[in-house]
Amino acid sequence: MKEIICPSCKKAFEIDQAGFSDIVKQVRDDQFDKELKILVGQAEKEKENAVKLAEADLRKITQDEIAKKDREIIVLQAKSQNAETEKKLSVSEAIKSIEKERDDLANNVKIAALEKQNLENSLRHQFSTELKTRDEIIQYKDDEIARVKEMKIKLSTKMLGESLEQYCEIEFNKIRATAFQNAYFEKDNDSSSGSKGDFIYREFDDADNEIISIMFEMKNEADQTAAKKKNEDFFKELDKDRTEKKCEFAVLVSVLEDESDLYTGITDVSYKFPKMFVVRPQFFIPIITLLRNAAMSSLKYKAELALVKNQSVDITNFENSINEFKAGFAKNYDLASRQFNTAINEIDKTIDHLQKTKEALLSSVNNLRLANNKSDDLTIKKLTKGNPTMTAKFDGLSNKPE
């Protein structure tokens, strides 16, 4: 027997060994249960805190990563949009430049057409003026016919004492210093081709450009044999001399066929040989003046025609340059377009990759949520599964009488 003091009433009482063992067992089981409950509670709290902490850390990391990826996606999308905008702007500017050049070219063509029309009008006016001048010359020739017959007697008498060549040379030299200061008028001494004319007349402008050139041949009746010659007998040889000496006009000064109604003053025989005239001696100076003035008048139009021709060449070259530019631009645009498309495809691939990363991170958050749900589902039975000692302890607690 053992004496036990009650902790409440302080009275002593005796208890046998079996009763004492039972009390000790109750005290020990109760203490163990309390300690077990404390340990289980602490374990639950530590598990819950660890899960919450891990979840918070992962959520923070995941959100940061998602935000970072979202920002990268936004930046790449902005770059893609900017690239597309820049491409459209570049194409638009290039098209505007080509349209401007096209409009400028059209204006140049219109200006050239207007200048051409003005030149044609001027040439028509010049032609009309020359026709009028020719009519005046014809009238003057008719008026001079009467005087020619009278002069023929004097001229014929004079020609017996001096040659026609000398007469023409003297007449020219009389007015050379005043009327023909820039002119060359000398005997043709070059017979290397087998023949030569009598005189060559050339005149130049201040820039040393040739204004006009004339090959002269003089034929006097007194110089001929008994067999009468005609003017046209000398046309072929005169044309040959003109061509070989590179003269523009050929003039036969002749007193042959003095009774002819055709050769009465200045006669144009260009229907037989180009740019050829037959004149009587008294028209030697007038034919030079006539041809010279016509050449001086046409010199300006020749320069204008050359300018129009050069402008036409410039316009053609400009059109070729535009076509070359268009071809080069089309090629460069094609290459740039391919590069833009490649860049945009790469950006799209990057966006797809980031989108998949984002989905993977969101999936990891979902797995953590499932893990948390499983931890909430944790029970004592599951904790003691496979542990006989803990199973027996908990079984003993569950079988304890109320």
Side-chain angles (χ1 to χ4, degrees):
M1 298 294 289
K2 290 185 178 181
E3 185 175 305
I4 302 299
I5 297 175
C6 178
S8 299
C9 63
K10 307 298 183 181
K11 291 182 178 181
F13 59 92
E14 293 182 351
I15 189 170
D16 57 9
Q17 184 65 34
F20 180 79
S21 297
D22 185 56
I23 291 173
V24 170
K25 181 177 180 302
Q26 291 180 14
V27 172
R28 186 181 296 133
D29 290 343
D30 184 61
Q31 185 66 28
F32 176 78
D33 186 55
K34 290 179 180 180
E35 291 177 356
L36 181 60
K37 287 182 178 181
I38 291 172
L39 291 173
V40 170
Q42 291 177 349
E44 288 289 336
K45 288 181 179 180
E46 290 178 357
K47 180 196 71 173
E48 183 177 355
N49 290 336
V51 170
K52 289 181 179 180
L53 181 60
E55 183 179 2
D57 292 340
L58 183 58
R59 186 178 295 110
K60 181 179 179 181
I61 294 172
T62 303
Q63 290 176 351
D64 291 343
E65 289 294 328
I66 292 173
K68 181 179 178 181
K69 297 301 181 182
D70 287 339
R71 287 195 297 271
E72 291 179 356
I73 290 172
I74 292 172
V75 170
L76 290 174
Q77 288 176 340
K79 288 182 178 179
S80 176
Q81 293 176 354
N82 290 337
E84 184 67 23
T85 302
E86 290 177 359
K87 180 178 72 173
K88 291 180 179 179
L89 181 61
S90 176
V91 172
S92 177
E93 291 177 350
I95 290 174
K96 288 180 180 179
S97 176
I98 291 176
E99 289 177 346
K100 183 178 182 300
E101 292 177 352
R102 178 201 62 193
D103 295 339
D104 292 341
L105 177 61
N107 291 333
N108 291 335
V109 172
K110 289 180 180 178
I111 292 173
L114 182 60
E115 292 178 350
K116 179 182 177 183
Q117 184 63 39
N118 292 335
L119 179 59
E120 289 178 352
N121 293 335
S122 298
L123 291 176
R124 289 194 185 98
H125 178 71
Q126 176 68 17
F127 180 71
S128 177
T129 302
E130 291 178 356
L131 285 179
K132 183 178 179 181
T133 302
R134 178 172 292 184
D135 291 339
E136 292 176 352
I137 292 173
I138 293 172
Q139 182 62 41
Y140 176 76
K141 180 186 68 174
D142 293 337
D143 294 339
E144 290 293 316
I145 290 177
R147 285 182 293 176
V148 168
K149 293 180 179 179
E150 183 180 353
M151 290 178 64
K152 281 175 64 177
I153 300 174
K154 296 180 181 180
L155 286 172
S156 298
T157 303
K158 190 174 184 179
M159 292 307 165
L160 295 176
E162 60 184 26
S163 69
L164 184 57
E165 291 89 341
Q166 291 174 336
Y167 166 77
C168 292
E169 185 174 14
I170 292 171
E171 290 297 311
F172 183 85
N173 287 333
K174 286 179 181 180
I175 58 174
R176 181 196 289 265
T178 56
F180 304 105
Q181 297 178 1
N182 298 325
Y184 167 91
F185 183 75
E186 301 293 341
K187 288 284 291 182
D188 180 16
N189 296 317
D190 183 7
S191 58
S192 59
S193 62
S195 65
K196 62 184 181 67
D198 287 331
F199 285 91
I200 293 178
Y201 173 90
R202 296 185 191 274
E203 188 166 357
F204 302 86
D205 62 11
D206 294 335
D208 202 31
N209 296 315
E210 183 177 288
I211 299 173
I212 188 173
S213 57
I214 307 172
M215 170 62 71
F216 282 100
E217 181 75 17
M218 286 74 172
K219 293 300 176 183
N220 190 348
E221 189 75 53
D223 294 335
Q224 306 303 316
T225 61
K228 294 291 185 180
K229 292 282 188 177
K230 294 183 178 181
N231 287 317
E232 64 181 65
D233 295 337
F234 303 95
F235 289 171
K236 184 175 181 181
E237 191 70 19
L238 178 57
D239 182 68
K240 176 184 175 184
D241 292 337
R242 178 190 73 85
T243 303
E244 291 178 349
K245 303 303 168 57
K246 298 180 179 179
C247 293
E248 184 177 2
F249 294 95
V251 175
L252 176 64
V253 183
S254 171
V255 293
L256 305 180
E257 300 183 67
D258 57 350
E259 299 298 330
S260 172
D261 292 331
L262 175 62
Y263 304 110
T264 57
I266 297 176
T267 306
D268 184 353
V269 291
S270 58
Y271 57 89
K272 288 184 175 291
F273 291 92
K275 296 187 175 183
M276 183 176 291
F277 297 88
V278 177
V279 301
R280 292 309 185 186
Q282 64 270 27
F283 291 99
F284 167 67
I285 296 298
I287 189 62
I288 296 177
T289 304
L290 178 65
L291 295 177
R292 174 178 179 263
N293 291 342
M296 292 290 289
S297 299
S298 64
L299 187 63
K300 180 179 69 174
Y301 299 104
K302 288 179 180 179
E304 291 179 354
L305 285 172
L307 178 61
V308 170
K309 183 178 180 181
N310 291 335
Q311 288 177 345
S312 177
V313 173
D314 291 340
I315 291 172
T316 301
N317 293 335
F318 183 76
E319 290 177 339
N320 293 335
S321 298
I322 284 294
N323 292 331
E324 291 176 0
F325 172 78
K326 288 181 178 179
F329 176 81
K331 181 179 179 181
N332 292 335
Y333 172 77
D334 183 62
L335 293 175
S337 178
R338 292 179 185 177
Q339 292 173 351
F340 272 117
N341 292 333
T342 301
I344 291 172
N345 291 334
E346 292 298 326
I347 291 173
D348 291 338
K349 291 179 182 179
T350 304
I351 292 174
D352 292 339
H353 178 70
L354 291 173
Q355 190 66 34
K356 291 179 181 179
T357 303
K358 178 180 178 182
E359 292 174 358
L361 290 172
L362 292 175
S363 177
S364 65
V365 173
N366 185 54
N367 290 331
L368 286 173
R369 181 181 58 78
L370 294 175
N372 184 56
N373 292 338
K374 290 181 180 179
S375 66
D376 292 339
D377 223 8
L378 186 65
T379 61
I380 297 297
K381 184 176 181 180
K382 292 180 179 179
L383 286 173
T384 58
K385 183 178 180 181
N387 191 334
T389 302
M390 295 303 296
T391 301
K393 291 290 186 182
F394 282 106
D395 288 342
L397 289 176
S398 61
N399 293 329
K400 181 182 176 181
E402 297 293 335

